[in-house]
Amino acid sequence: MSTLSKLKSIRKVINRYVPLCAVSLVCVLLLVSPTVRGQDIAWPQFRGPNSNPVGAHARLAEHWSKTENVEWSQEIPGRGWSSPIVTGGKVYLTTVTTEGKSKPPQIGTEYSNEYVAELQKQGLPMDQVIARVTERDIELPNEVMLHYSLYCLNLKSGKVEWQKEFYKGHPPGGRHRKNSFVSESPVTDGRRVYVYVANLGLWAFDLKGKQVWTTPLEANPMYLDFGTGSSPALAGDLLVIVNDNENQQYIAAFGKQTGKQVWRTNRDIGGKEQPHSGWATPFVWRHALRTEIVAVGPGEVVSYGLSGKELWRLSGMSGSPIPMPFAYDGLLYINGGRGRSLFALRPGATGDISLGKDQTSNEYVVWSQPRAGTYLPSSLAYEGAVYALTETGILSHFDARTGKQTYKTRIDPAATAFTTSPWAYNGKLFCLSEEGQTFVIGTGEQFQLLHVNALDDMVLASPALVGERLLIRTQQRLYSIRRGKSAGNGKQGAQG
């Protein structure tokens, strides 16, 4: 690729990092096996047991700060945008510590583009522009030595019960400094915790921290070394991963008892001239007709049966897919990404179900809303509505059955950067910004900002809702938010 082509690519898509959980960046897990024990007090994966984060407990807190309604907080060393998961009264999360310095994250998505424009204005040659952007904003594998760890905390006290380092060494690829080296969230079936680091490997631990098995994976390049973020999924006895990369895109399933590969299906999606990397977490869609694995990728979403055979596909996705699909009230909802459509699908599709020119629906696409897709946060369905939040703080409300849009508005002048996916409970919608501010919004057809909760720390990981507890992971700490508690009642990180 010529230096001019590289610069054009950087200017157009340098912000296609993956948070998360989002990542975001971030962003990413699926519906877990029904064998999970204690569903009412479990949060087994990214975005929860239904991949649509809605709380059911009436006592979930609506107000909090660094001291108000904080049951406990615990400092977590290193950095990771993976979300916490919960089973059996324990919280599990991953992190990476770096030997020496690590390039820090920055709020927003455009700062790399702005740096390119600044360097261009100075008249620097193309190769120097690329070198400087890479030096400042990309952390390459040979620049860092990492320690990857899985933590287990007591849900009630926040005490660290054990910590296991499961890998040490250089990472399999680079990362944009907005991303982390562990943006993939773990998943649990209530008996084991399964950890996936894309292009590095899979690990299974029992709930005491003993490693049961590990399966190394080959390293594949990600677009412009932006890093990874698609989390794994459990589908019965299968542990499923999607790896859309610049070498060979694929979806694969491994036996959760042994870690041995059961099947692998190549995914040749996206145009020849565009990037092939993706960061969307797949969704296991269980409905009356069958169980399928829905995997959004560059340009297209493809659904697979439990044997890895393609069932259907739909075009119209962005070239940098991050939001995760989910099901609600019998329909499948797909966020096509920034500048693309939001789709609602009915079960039973086969073959190519892409919309034709000027079409907004067909036999299996119930409705679509042009340009309603978002870049980083996944969408949410609650009380008959679908909410879509952009990375710049624009919130839209749609009727879940018809797709009719009832409002589109900026949440607040101060709400300008979002990676975390929104969640809901008790008639409230919660939108957590990268600055650590949670904007609490009344649900319904009329937009109403009720109040703002501040934690004063950067946040890119999506939270967990467990009974009457809300678990929020910031850049430095894990908080247990619980009504009627204060910092004086709980443990602070320095204490334990």
Side-chain angles (χ1 to χ4, degrees):
M1 181 183 288
S2 68
T3 56
L4 179 60
S5 297
K6 287 182 179 180
L7 178 61
K8 288 180 178 178
S9 295
I10 289 177
R11 293 187 66 187
K12 289 181 179 179
V13 290
I14 189 71
N15 55 355
R16 289 176 179 166
Y17 58 82
V18 190
L20 31 75
C21 199
V23 238
S24 184
L25 255 198
V26 281
C27 41
V28 73
L29 284 181
L30 310 193
L31 193 60
V32 94
S33 167
T35 59
V36 173
R37 295 171 288 181
Q39 288 282 11
D40 59 330
I41 55 169
W43 195 259
Q45 59 187 0
F46 171 66
R47 287 176 56 79
N50 299 312
S51 303
N52 184 42
V54 172
H57 204 290
R59 282 188 52 80
L60 278 161
E62 297 168 12
H63 295 264
W64 60 84
S65 67
K66 293 177 71 174
T67 55
E68 181 188 7
N69 287 333
V70 175
E71 182 181 29
W72 52 261
S73 75
Q74 178 65 260
E75 183 177 1
I76 304 297
R79 184 183 301 132
W81 304 147
S82 55
S83 296
I85 62 170
V86 179
T87 189
K90 312 295 180 185
V91 184
Y92 301 90
L93 77 167
T94 53
T95 189
V96 161
T97 55
T98 307
E99 293 183 11
K101 294 183 178 180
S102 177
K103 295 179 181 179
Q106 183 174 327
I107 290 168
T109 61
E110 296 298 323
Y111 58 86
S112 291
N113 288 329
E114 293 165 354
Y115 189 41
V116 168
E118 176 188 329
L119 295 173
Q120 267 196 302
K121 192 175 292 185
Q122 295 174 15
L124 268 67
M126 302 299 182
D127 56 345
Q128 290 187 32
V129 171
I130 294 169
R132 289 203 185 185
V133 172
T134 299
E135 181 182 9
R136 193 192 76 163
D137 291 345
I138 305 295
E139 198 157 66
L140 298 174
N142 62 353
E143 295 178 334
V144 287
M145 181 66 69
L146 305 178
H147 298 263
Y148 294 73
S149 296
L150 174 65
Y151 275 75
C152 173
L153 289 76
N154 186 285
L155 176 62
K156 293 182 179 180
S157 68
K159 178 183 177 181
V160 175
E161 299 203 346
W162 51 261
Q163 173 256 330
K164 298 292 181 180
E165 181 179 295
F166 59 88
Y167 183 81
K168 174 185 176 181
H170 295 290
R175 69 169 181 98
H176 189 280
R177 66 188 177 100
K178 187 64 174 289
N179 199 359
S180 77
F181 282 113
V182 279
S183 291
E184 304 90 344
S185 300
V187 63
T188 180
D189 57 6
R191 295 179 176 84
R192 291 177 180 174
V193 175
Y194 304 92
V195 174
Y196 169 53
V197 179
N199 300 319
L200 185 60
L202 291 158
W203 290 262
F205 294 88
D206 67 19
L207 302 187
K208 302 286 187 182
K210 179 183 177 182
Q211 183 176 303
V212 180
W213 54 257
T214 182
T215 300
L217 296 171
E218 77 275 16
N220 289 296
M222 297 297 290
Y223 184 65
L224 295 180
D225 272 307
F226 282 160
T228 59
S230 175
S231 298
L234 281 170
D237 289 331
L238 298 177
L239 180 63
V240 180
I241 63 170
V242 173
N243 190 316
D244 288 334
N245 61 76
E246 296 304 297
N247 182 29
Q248 176 59 67
Q249 304 156 306
Y250 68 91
I251 180 173
F254 300 81
K256 71 175 186 178
Q257 300 300 329
T258 64
K260 293 182 178 179
Q261 183 174 295
V262 178
W263 54 259
R264 173 171 168 162
T265 303
N266 287 343
R267 286 161 53 83
D268 295 314
I269 57 178
K272 293 182 179 180
E273 301 301 321
Q274 71 179 50
H276 289 77
S277 297
W279 300 272
T281 292
F283 171 64
V284 178
W285 186 20
R286 295 180 176 87
H287 51 79
L289 300 178
R290 64 193 178 206
T291 297
E292 48 190 287
I293 304 164
V294 183
V296 177
E300 296 176 278
V301 54
V302 183
S303 184
Y304 303 87
L306 294 179
S307 65
K309 181 180 179 181
E310 180 177 325
L311 301 172
W312 56 264
R313 66 174 53 207
L314 171 70
S315 63
M317 307 301 113
S318 77
S320 55
I322 293 172
M324 179 185 177
F326 65 93
Y328 172 77
D329 199 20
L331 297 180
L332 173 71
Y333 293 88
I334 297 173
N335 185 324
R338 182 167 57 186
R340 300 297 180 151
S341 295
L342 186 64
F343 301 88
L345 276 62
R346 60 173 53 91
T350 57
D352 191 337
I353 61 169
S354 300
L355 295 172
K357 185 179 180 181
D358 300 325
Q359 275 190 315
T360 58
S361 63
N362 60 26
E363 182 181 0
Y364 291 105
V365 179
V366 179
W367 58 260
S368 63
Q369 270 284 357
R371 301 191 63 81
T374 58
Y375 178 35
L376 297 175
S378 298
S379 305
L380 173 86
Y382 182 62
E383 294 181 338
V386 175
Y387 295 88
L389 175 67
T390 73
E391 83 280 6
T392 57
I394 305 297
L395 181 67
S396 297
H397 176 287
F398 305 92
D399 183 279
R401 302 303 298 179
T402 67
K404 179 183 177 182
Q405 182 173 309
T406 47
Y407 69 70
K408 180 179 182 180
T409 185
R410 177 168 293 284
I411 291 176
D412 187 80
T416 58
F418 292 83
T419 290
T420 297
S421 300
W423 69 96
Y425 51 74
N426 299 337
K428 310 291 190 303
L429 181 74
F430 300 83
C431 300
L432 176 56
S433 75
E434 293 180 359
E435 295 95 333
Q437 293 182 304
T438 302
F439 296 83
V440 183
I441 299 158
T443 54
E445 295 187 358
Q446 299 296 320
F447 174 80
Q448 183 183 15
L449 176 61
L450 302 176
H451 58 271
V452 182
N453 302 324
L455 285 178
D456 300 323
D457 192 9
M458 192 172 189
V459 183
L460 288 96
S462 291
L465 286 62
V466 191
E468 60 184 82
R469 292 177 171 90
L470 171 67
L471 301 179
I472 296 178
R473 181 182 192 173
T474 70
Q475 183 178 350
Q476 300 179 20
R477 311 187 73 84
L478 179 65
Y479 287 86
S480 176
I481 308 296
R482 191 179 179 197
R483 185 184 293 185
K485 302 295 180 179
S486 67
N489 296 342
K491 293 181 181 291
Q492 297 300 295
Q495 300 171 349

